[in-house]
Amino acid sequence: MLHIKCPHCGMRSQNEFAYGGDASVKRPELNKEISDLEWDNFVYLRKSLRGKHLELWQHISGCRQWFKVQRDTATHEIFKTLKANEDI
Ligand SMILES: [Zn+2]
C-alpha cells in the first residue's frame, strides 16, 4: 500500500486518496479556435508512461484538495508532492 504525503495534511494511507490523471495535460487556451481533433485529443488522448510521471490526486477522505504527485509508475516510488498551483 502506498503512503502519500498530502501537502495540506501530511502523510496518509492511499485509501484516503483518489487518482485524478495526468497533471501535465494543458487545457487549450480559452476562446482560441481549435479543431475537433485537437479537442478530442485534449479530452481523451493520454500517454501511458513508464517511469517518473506527474499526476493529479485528490485527498477525498481528508481536506478534499487536489494536488500533484511526482511518482514512478513502475515502482510506485513517490518523489514529491505539490499543491495544485505549484510547479516542479
Ligand atoms: Zn489533505
Side-chain angles (χ1 to χ4, degrees), residues 6-10 12 17 59 62-65 67:
C6 172
H8 306 281
C9 306
R12 297 288 197 275
F17 298 90
H59 194 180
C63 63
R64 304 194 58 82
Q65 294 293 308
F67 61 99

Side-chain angles (χ1 to χ4, degrees), residues 17-36:
F17 298 90
Y19 175 74
D22 186 347
S24 64
V25 175
K26 298 290 183 212
R27 185 181 178 88
E29 199 173 306
L30 192 62
N31 296 327
K32 181 186 172 200
E33 195 70 32
I34 64 168
S35 70
D36 289 344

Side-chain angles (χ1 to χ4, degrees), residues 8-70:
H8 306 281
C9 306
M11 196 67 79
R12 297 288 197 275
S13 166
Q14 175 191 352
N15 295 341
E16 295 188 11
F17 298 90
Y19 175 74
D22 186 347
S24 64
V25 175
K26 298 290 183 212
R27 185 181 178 88
E29 199 173 306
L30 192 62
N31 296 327
K32 181 186 172 200
E33 195 70 32
I34 64 168
S35 70
D36 289 344
L37 179 61
E38 288 172 310
W39 183 254
D40 193 58
N41 288 344
F42 163 69
V43 173
Y44 297 109
L45 192 64
R46 297 293 181 269
K47 295 175 185 167
S48 183
L49 298 175
R50 180 180 173 86
K52 198 181 271 191
H53 191 54
L54 193 62
E55 304 170 329
L56 287 172
W57 286 75
Q58 185 183 20
H59 194 180
I60 199 88
S61 297
C63 63
R64 304 194 58 82
Q65 294 293 308
W66 285 93
F67 61 99
K68 297 175 185 172
V69 176
Q70 187 181 46

